[in-house]
Amino acid sequence: MSKAAFKRRDSVLKIIVSEYIATATPVASEAILRHYSLGVSPATIRNDMASLEEEGFITRPYTSSGGVPLDKGYRFYVETISGQAGLPGDDQRRIRQLMDAAVDEYDRLLKIAATAMSQLVGNAAIVTFPKSVECKFKHIELVEMNQYMAMMVLILSNAVLRRQTLGFNETVSQQLLGDTAVKFNREYSGKTRKQIAGNKLDLSPLEKKILGTISDIMASEDMIEYDNSYLEGLRLMLGQPEFVQRERMLGVLELLEAKGWLKQVIDWQVTEEGVRVIIGGENRESSLHDLSLVVSNYGVPDQARGTVGVIGPKRMDYSKAISAVNYISGLLSELVARVCRDD
Amino acid sequence: MSKAAFKRRDSVLKIIVSEYIATATPVASEAILRHYSLGVSPATIRNDMASLEEEGFITRPYTSSGGVPLDKGYRFYVETISGQAGLPGDDQRRIRQLMDAAVDEYDRLLKIAATAMSQLVGNAAIVTFPKSVECKFKHIELVEMNQYMAMMVLILSNAVLRRQTLGFNETVSQQLLGDTAVKFNREYSGKTRKQIAGNKLDLSPLEKKILGTISDIMASEDMIEYDNSYLEGLRLMLGQPEFVQRERMLGVLELLEAKGWLKQVIDWQVTEEGVRVIIGGENRESSLHDLSLVVSNYGVPDQARGTVGVIGPKRMDYSKAISAVNYISGLLSELVARVCRDD
DNA sequence: AATTAGCAGTCTAAAGCGGAGAGTGCTAAA
DNA sequence: TTTAGCACTCTCCGCTTTAGACTGCTAATT
């Protein structure tokens, strides 16, 4: 096969993928020529398609029907488009505007980001809370609720916030609680869990109990993969034609409600930089085998990192998804950086 | 029609409803006799069914097919079963166990409650955060993040917690922030928004700014119908046979993702006590017209109140749903009461 | 007046059939 | 290596048929 012929075959593959992404129906040789004139006849395209099939880029739903991309085909397509055009200016402006409106409300901001992203790509989108690599104690607050109970509010590095109620056997006063909080804040601010554990102070039983609780929370915070996350736009994703069979639909729903899959994605991602595309069978988790993910980390390296991504059927507008994830992760990184700068 | 005949007709209706709830297929006259021997022939049942149809309790999907309940039929059924048996002991124990495991983590607790409830009834369940009737300032905490920014954590009555970042034009120290927090806590603790607004203190520009933010948050807290809420078990609900037509499924998904419907439910509910069942067309919101809700408030009257409920197709196990909602709302009330006791 | 047997009639659901149309694979020629 | 031409495959759609589930009605019975 000549060099020119190879090149044409690649074009054919690219066209098949993008056409299939757009129409969700098998792509016929003549359909290819209808939209892109390659200066050859349908028969030639058919030959190319046969060759593409042989090498595992595409397949046929049944003998003598158009081609649909396989994972390998999608992968090829994604490689050729990556590093391409960013998000249209309109979209950028719209998102920025939405997010500016909630810039001070951390939680709402992430939710808005997820919603915006899902609408942009017509699929589900997820944004996880940023998580610090190893969290540090920042501030504690103890508020009396009644004689035997207090609410503890614990602020960790990068704005992670946890509240917990504490019950005591003896009565405690707000005064005592306040003093304890001051002491803890003075001694432990900026320290990791291990540093706190190593720094044995002279503590009263009450203080020991509180310290234990703090330590537990920090430990669980260090373990946890996602504190919380927003998954938006499910309905958009499930509206896609791949989910007409309700069995698949319910399968996906179950998968996403469980959120176990998240761990897998994040594990994989934690070391990577930039946008990463995971297509169908490339997912470790077999339940994700006919879905694709476009994910990226955001945040400040070695400090607070979260994950943002799009999830949808393999037949997804990768180009748009990549630019959307890229843009939004950048935006979120900016915002996190502002909050973290002095950690 | 004789008195005995009336009674039998009611039984027939009850059987039709419960049978339809169990099987999701139109109930035939002979099917009724298969499971419950009423000592009459199928023809008699048919006569009764004709009469039930005439009065709008049931309908037929097509001429000469079994009966399926209408809203009026469900309503009748719900009235006859209400006030009946509670949740089985097993279930009670299981739930209590689950919830005890997270009793100190407010947010997780509510989520667990929602999940447990959804599994119990095989439909979606929702639990909203408790909201105070008029919230009171409880505690503020100000933490420096960097020279020009601070994080404010605001605790309102009944454990509502809000965090927000603040940006300043001049530099601020942790010292200054701490002093301000102490001052606010001393002056404003236990006061409502109006009381705070009426109590004009001599404030620096910085303090004025912070106070403004607090006031805004409290105002929005007073306005908001639901702070946050957990909706769990969607997949269970959508697995029901009523959602085989994917159009309906997507409609419901859209509805639930928007969460606008929540407001309607809660509005209606806020004054009611006990479990309330809203069947199909009884919903104000037309998009809920073929769904039913079983909801209840929980919390402490005149203080903090949240809503807990089950949402599913009209063909729902009302008996189980009612007892589940009843039990869980009671459990949550207990827990809220513990936290609120001294507000 | 209420109930019942019996039967004709109605409707669904599933299966089978057939033709139109889309699109390919193959062969032989350029 | 490309192309034209054609036979062939397979889906999709609508139509028909058949079996079966239930009812509604009528006329008889209690």
Side-chain angles (χ1 to χ4, degrees), chain A residues 175-229:
Chain A
Q175 180 63 42
L176 178 59
L177 290 170
D179 291 348
T180 307
V182 168
K183 180 172 175 184
F184 277 31
N185 287 330
R186 193 180 54 231
E187 296 295 335
Y188 295 139
S189 186
K191 296 218 163 73
T192 65
R193 192 173 76 92
K194 280 177 202 145
Q195 290 170 329
I196 291 174
N199 181 10
K200 284 286 170 216
L201 289 177
D202 200 19
L203 297 176
S204 71
L206 174 75
E207 290 169 334
K208 280 207 179 103
K209 177 178 168 115
I210 295 172
L211 184 60
T213 310
I214 294 174
S215 181
D216 287 349
I217 291 179
M218 289 180 75
S220 75
E221 196 66 31
D222 281 341
M223 297 291 293
I224 252 171
E225 288 306 321
Y226 54 96
D227 172 7
N228 203 344
S229 59

Side-chain angles (χ1 to χ4, degrees), chain B residues 11-12 14-20 22 27-40 45 77:
Chain B
S11 297
V12 169
K14 250 173 89 174
I15 293 169
I16 289 176
V17 176
S18 71
E19 199 70 4
Y20 185 70
V27 183
S29 57
E30 270 154 359
I32 292 175
L33 293 170
R34 243 196 303 288
H35 297 288
Y36 311 77
S37 65
L38 295 172
V40 293
I45 305 292
Y77 177 76

Side-chain angles (χ1 to χ4, degrees), chain A residues 44 82 146 229 314:
Chain A
T44 309
S82 65
N146 60 50
S229 59
K314 290 193 288 193

